[in-house]
């Protein structure tokens, strides 16, 4: 809805009919067509009075945003378009403001969107209730309980990728302010048979696939699981992967949710260990063996799986193996042990897996309840949310569908009763006469199922408890005897002969006429599923487990608490749970959400009329509409009714000053609506027929058009008058401004004329004065010139006799002086930049200035070099002094020198003080290190290189081992006599030592370095600084090196190398080392 739109009723801009109570005519076809029309326009919610019909769109719609939450917050139920938020808001406000406990019943078949609807209700309540750290924590725990229960209780079916395979009822508890305090969850009939077997195209419970997909390899190893689905017999492979479902991401979500809800780490670990044990139980296989006495028994084929299960659960392997092979039956004081054949062993295995998972799920619900329960003892308000399986009619219907449909019969019964009760209470509250409404009462069907004497559940329990041979066929025979005459029961074996020729009803089936239609049930499995037996040997084996959780799941296995009494059957347990649920719902104000699935393809934009029609029938929606319309189809409070329709009567338009009811009475009398079409309640007007309401809407629409025309006419007149007055006012303003402008222009013109006249007069006076001053000046100048000429004549007469002798020299000196002045002035403007490397210099203008020009160039260069040097820091001066020293030593002598000019001298190439590897070396050297570099020391014997650390300090030269940091040689600088190197592009150099010195015992050093120029320069400068003597640097392609007592010639030659550009050293004979330089 646009921001400028203001919607005050669901009747505004209505697509189809927003409330089915107003549908006219009311037929099944018109009902479906109205739903389809709204569905095609993305209107997935429709009302039946206060009941919300929700159609699953199978896609995301932008109608659940925080803005939508605020739009429906604290609004009247019928004020905006139908929405699940409207029902949630109505229920929450009734609970908060009127102190009425609420329940929201969500029903529909699998895939209709019940689970999503319950999430939306909870998220809306969480959004609109109070804020605060504790409140937010409670809300977060309530919301995060959903992912945990969905992972363990939901599965992918052919109808729904996230189908709830259990019923859930959550009581959310609030304080007097309407802030959540906690909650209590009840679960009903988990479909535990799915653990061991799934129909084709369906999956097991989500948690199995989530663990295998999302757990880390380390976690799977702890659980003794493998990631491959095909390794496990309990997992169906045809639907292991579901499009659009990320099991790995969902596993992380579940673990996070368990943490938020309050599960401890060891509890989470225990839960996943039980899940792993269930998964591995399916891999246990049995083989037959014959005993000596002729009885068949079973043995486990491969005991590796059994061993891993026992390691996970802490059960003794022999105890569990015996429990799978033997069964102990106790009667009074006697115990009889019998062997299990292969079929019985498989039954025992599957029964254990089902019971283990079912009890784990119940424990999870109990554990969640402990975390989310209200901590305070104050009186609490309660909102219940029931998300339970809808009516199911499959191709093959068994015990699970029978129980589910029984629950839906009870829900339909309470729905009709509470709806009629609500209608009757409203009529009484408003003082309207109540008329009896005819409707179908399904109590007869409920009685057929739950009657304590002749009900189907009672007979099933009786058959399970009966001694002797008990089978599904004997149970069906009993049904045929007891229920044969019941009008809602059908069977081929019934005494009623009308079904004998009904070939659509097999012999092993019976059919019940439910409120939603006929359902045929396969009797096979009814007895076993109702018994839900787990052999006592398995219970006792589980109780003996050292795994605390598994031991807690099987309290009946405790030998000290053996109870020979038969445990209650599954049917009787579910019947008691449903009775408790119905009793709970009776105490609360009901709110209904009826979910409908538009197609079986789980695809958006597809509306299957036949499928929707089937659901409408079994949800009893038409029956619901008829109940609501049996009396008055529409009711509305007087204030909004008068506000909406007051423009239809002159007396009430535009304002009614009296009570709202009196205004509505005047309005209806003016419109001449028949009295039988409406009735006045205490606070509401009741309209019997939808046609009357639509007539009012048509009149209102026409009147609104007339009012719009009137408003438009008045607005246009006002706009024209306003424009005229504005133009008149503007004309006056413009005229006044123009008159002002004209006077200003006139004044400016007079003023400028006066200024011109004044300027001409001042100009004439100034010119007159100027002429007088010029005349006076010319007179003075004339007198001066005459005097000057006269003085000149006198001087020339006096000096004429001297002039001819000195004229040439004076002229030469004057000319030379003028040329020098011109030269220096030009040089001032042509001086080059202050950069010492700038070679530019102005050209010499005259030949006689050649020496002066050169000297000036030299002086300028020296001056700018001094200016440049003055900018250096002490560190930079030292660097340039070293570079200058290197230039004097190696320029035009060593081919390696040009490459070193641009490289800065760093000295400490090894960070000895920072690297812990050289700590020993650092501790051994006390002096400041001038250079630290890795060099290659040439072996005297074969010419091969060994890495050494070269250290130069103020007093010594040191060589150390690169790996260990041990000092190999230490030479005082006074013992170094000479450094020899070649003139080529290599890094070899020899350090010659003083003969007879202690360091010269092994001879001179022949080394190779990548920083030869820097090392030689620093060695030269340091030696000069310490010994005050210059170190001899010899550059030659042949030089002698003292090796112990022998002298060896080192010769450098040119040649291509296998190693590319790396020089190599090779010993040719005892007296020659040859270095090949590329």
């Amino acid at each position: 809805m646009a921001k400028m739109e203001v919607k005050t009723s669901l009747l505004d801009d209505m697509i189809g009919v927003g409330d089915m109570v107003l549908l006219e005519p009311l037929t099944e076809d018109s009902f479906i067509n109205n739903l389809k029309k709204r569905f095609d326009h993305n209107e997935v919610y429709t009302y039946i009075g206060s009941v919300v019909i929700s159609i699953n769109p199978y896609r995301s719609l932008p109608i659940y945003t925080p803005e939508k939450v605020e739009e429906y917050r604290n609004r009247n139920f019928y004020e905006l378009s139908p929405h699940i938020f409207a029902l949630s808001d109505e229920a929450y406000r009734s609970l908060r403001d009127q102190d009425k406990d609420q329940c929201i019943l969500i029903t529909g078949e699998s895939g209709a969107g019940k689970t999503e609807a319950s999430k939306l209700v909870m998220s809306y309540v969480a959004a609109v209730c109070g804020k605060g750290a504790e409140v937010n924590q409670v809300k977060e725990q309530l919301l995060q309980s959903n992912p945990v229960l969905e992972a363990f209780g939901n599965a992918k079916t052919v109808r729904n990728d996230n189908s709830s395979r259990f019923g859930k009822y959550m009581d959310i508890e609030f304080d007097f302010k309407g802030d959540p305090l906690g909650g209590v969850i009840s679960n009903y009939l988990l479909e535990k048979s799915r653990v061991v077997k799934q129909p084709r195209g369906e999956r097991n419970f989500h948690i199995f696939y989530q663990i295998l997909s999302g757990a880390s390899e380390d976690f799977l190893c702890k659980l003794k699981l493998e990631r491959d689905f095909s390794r496990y017999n309990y997992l169906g492979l045809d639907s292991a992967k579901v499009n659009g479902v990320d099991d790995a991401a969902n596993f992380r979500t579940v673990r996070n949710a368990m943490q938020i809800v309050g599960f401890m780490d060891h509890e989470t670990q225990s839960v996943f260990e039980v899940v792993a044990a269930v998964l591995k139980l399916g891999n246990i296989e049995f083989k037959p063996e014959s005993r000596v006495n002729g009885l068949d028994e079973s043995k486990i084929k491969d005991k590796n799986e059994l061993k891993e299960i026992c390691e996970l659960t802490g059960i003794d392997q022999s105890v569990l193996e015996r429990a799978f092979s033997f069964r102990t039956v106790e009667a009074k004081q006697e115990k009889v042990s019998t062997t299990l054949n292969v079929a019985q062993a498989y039954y025992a295995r599957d029964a254990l897996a089902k019971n283990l998972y079912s009890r784990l799920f119940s424990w999870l619900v109990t554990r969640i309840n402990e975390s989310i329960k209200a901590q305070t003892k104050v009186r609490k308000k309660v909102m219940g949310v029931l998300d339970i399986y809808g009516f199911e009619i499959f191709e093959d219907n068994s015990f699970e569908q029978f129980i589910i449909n029984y629950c839906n019969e009870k829900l339909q019964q309470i729905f009709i009763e509470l709806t009629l009760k609500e209608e009757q209470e409203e009529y009484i509250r408003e003082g309207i006469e109540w008329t009896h409404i005819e409707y179908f009462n399904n109590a007869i069907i409920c009685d057929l199922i739950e009657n304590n004497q002749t009900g189907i559940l009672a007979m099933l329990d009786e058959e399970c408890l009966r001694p002797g041979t008990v089978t599904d066929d004997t149970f069906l025979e009993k049904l045929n005897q007891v229920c044969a005459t019941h009008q809602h029961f059908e069977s081929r074996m019934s005494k009623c002969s009308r079904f004998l020729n009904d070939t659509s009803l097999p012999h092993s089936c019976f059919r019940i006429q439910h409120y939603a239609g006929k359902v045929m049930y396969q009797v096979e499995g009814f007895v076993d599923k109702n018994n839900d037996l787990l052999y006592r040997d398995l219970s006792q084996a589980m109780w003996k487990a050292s795994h605390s959780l598994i031991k807690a799941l099987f309290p009946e296995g405790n030998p000290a608490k053996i109870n020979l009494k038969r445990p209650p059957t599954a049917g009787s347990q579910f019947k008691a749970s449903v009775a408790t649920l119905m009793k709970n719902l009776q105490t609360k104000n009901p709110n209904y959400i009826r979910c409908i699935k538009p197609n079986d393809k789980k695809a958006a934009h597809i509306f299957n009329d036949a499928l929707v029609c089937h659901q409408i029938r079994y949800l009893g929606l038409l029956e619901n509409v008829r109940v609501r319309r049996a009396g008055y189809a529409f009711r509305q409070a007087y204030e909004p009714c008068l506000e909406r329709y007051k423009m239809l009567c002159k007396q009430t338009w535009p304002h009614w000053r009296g009570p709202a009811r009196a205004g509505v009475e005047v309005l209806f009398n003016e419109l001449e609506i028949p009295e039988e079409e409406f009735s006045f309640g205490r606070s509401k007007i009741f309209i019997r027929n939808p046609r009357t309401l639509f007539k009012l809407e048509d009149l209102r629409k026409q009147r609104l058009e007339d009012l719009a025309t009137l408003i438009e006419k008045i607005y246009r007149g006002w706009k024209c008058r306003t424009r005229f007055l504005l133009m008149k006012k503007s004309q006056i303003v413009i005229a006044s401004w123009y008159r002002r402008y004209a006077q200003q222009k006139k004044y400016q013109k007079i003023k400028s004329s006066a200024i011109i006249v004044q300027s001409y007069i001042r100009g004439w006076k100034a010119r007159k004065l100027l002429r007088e001053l010029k005349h006076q000046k010319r007179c003075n100048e004339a007198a001066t010139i005459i005097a000057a000429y006269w003085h000149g004549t006198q001087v020339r007469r006096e000096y004429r006799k001297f002039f001819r002798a000195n004229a040439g020299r004076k002229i030469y000196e004057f000319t030379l002086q003028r040329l020098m002045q011109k030269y220096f002035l030009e040089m001032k403007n042509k001086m080059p930049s202050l950069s010492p490397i700038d070679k530019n210099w102005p050209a010499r203008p005259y030949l006689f200035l050649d020496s002066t020009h050169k000297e000036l160039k030299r002086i300028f260069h020296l001056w700018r070099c001094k200016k440049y040097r003055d900018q250096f820091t002490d560190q930079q001066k030292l660097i340039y002094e070293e570079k200058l020293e290197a230039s004097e030593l190696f320029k035009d002598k060593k081919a390696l020198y040009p490459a070193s000019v641009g490289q800065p001298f760093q000295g400490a190439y090894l960070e000895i003080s920072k690297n812990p590897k050289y700590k020993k070396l650092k501790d051994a050297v006390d002096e400041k290190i001038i250079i630290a570099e890795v060099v290659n020391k040439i072996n005297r014997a074969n010419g091969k290189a060994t890495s050494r650390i070269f250290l130069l300090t103020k007093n010594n030269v040191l060589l150390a081992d690169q790996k260990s940091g041990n000092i190999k040689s230490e030479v005082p600088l006074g013992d170094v006599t000479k450094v020899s190197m070649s003139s080529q592009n290599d890094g070899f150099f020899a350090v010659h030592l003083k003969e007879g010195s202690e360091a010269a015992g092994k001879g001179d050093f022949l080394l190779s370095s990548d920083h030869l120029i820097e090392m030689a320069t620093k060695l030269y400068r340091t030696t000069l600084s310490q010994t005050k003597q210059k170190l001899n640097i010899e550059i030659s392609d042949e030089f002698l090196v003292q090796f112990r007592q022998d002298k060896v010639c080192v010769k450098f030659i040119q040649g291509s190398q296998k190693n590319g550009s790396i020089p190599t050293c090779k010993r040719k004979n005892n007296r020659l080392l040859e270095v090949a330089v590329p």
Side-chain angles (χ1 to χ4, degrees), residues 323-358:
F324 280 133
S325 303
F326 294 88
R327 179 187 179 190
T328 303
V329 180
E330 297 185 25
K332 296 183 179 179
Q333 301 300 322
E334 297 182 4
K335 289 185 179 181
V336 179
S337 181
T338 60
T339 59
L340 300 179
N341 58 31
V342 172
Q344 291 171 331
Y346 277 117
Y347 174 84
R349 178 201 69 178
D350 291 346
L352 177 60
K354 291 187 290 185
N355 271 274
L356 195 55
Y357 191 83
S358 174

Side-chain angles (χ1 to χ4, degrees), residues 816-827:
L816 194 63
Q817 183 180 6
R818 292 298 298 163
L819 288 175
M820 289 292 288
Q821 288 178 348
K822 182 179 179 182
Y823 168 72
F824 282 115
L825 289 173
E826 289 178 353
M827 284 296 292

Side-chain angles (χ1 to χ4, degrees), residues 195-224:
V195 174
V196 300
K197 184 179 180 181
Q198 307 90 42
R200 185 172 183 81
E202 298 189 4
R203 294 205 314 177
N204 210 321
F205 292 103
H206 293 326
I207 190 62
F208 296 115
Y209 304 91
Q210 290 174 359
I211 288 180
L212 298 182
S213 300
S216 64
E217 294 293 341
D218 183 51
F219 191 63
L220 286 178
C221 184
K222 289 181 181 178
L223 297 180
K224 305 187 184 303

Side-chain angles (χ1 to χ4, degrees), residues 163-277:
S163 177
S164 297
R165 307 317 299 161
F166 71 103
K168 182 179 74 172
Y169 176 74
M170 174 183 280
D171 268 335
I172 308 173
E173 299 171 335
F174 298 83
D175 63 10
F176 70 96
K177 302 189 301 294
D179 295 339
L181 297 172
V184 178
I185 299 173
S186 303
N187 65 301
Y188 301 95
L189 192 67
L190 177 73
E191 188 189 15
K192 58 186 177 183
S193 61
R194 181 171 292 273
V195 174
V196 300
K197 184 179 180 181
Q198 307 90 42
R200 185 172 183 81
E202 298 189 4
R203 294 205 314 177
N204 210 321
F205 292 103
H206 293 326
I207 190 62
F208 296 115
Y209 304 91
Q210 290 174 359
I211 288 180
L212 298 182
S213 300
S216 64
E217 294 293 341
D218 183 51
F219 191 63
L220 286 178
C221 184
K222 289 181 181 178
L223 297 180
K224 305 187 184 303
L225 296 176
E226 298 179 20
R227 207 174 290 281
D228 185 9
F229 294 158
S230 62
R231 288 275 294 110
Y232 303 101
N233 297 331
Y234 279 167
L235 301 184
L237 298 180
D238 53 340
S239 298
K241 294 290 184 182
V242 180
N243 292 334
V245 175
D246 188 348
D247 288 318
N250 290 341
F251 179 70
R252 292 189 291 272
T253 302
V254 170
R255 295 203 69 169
N256 183 55
M258 292 178 77
Q259 186 176 6
I260 292 173
V261 170
F263 282 81
M264 306 299 289
D265 290 342
H266 71 274
E267 290 179 323
T268 305
Q269 179 71 21
S270 298
V271 168
F272 289 131
E273 285 172 352
V274 174
V275 174

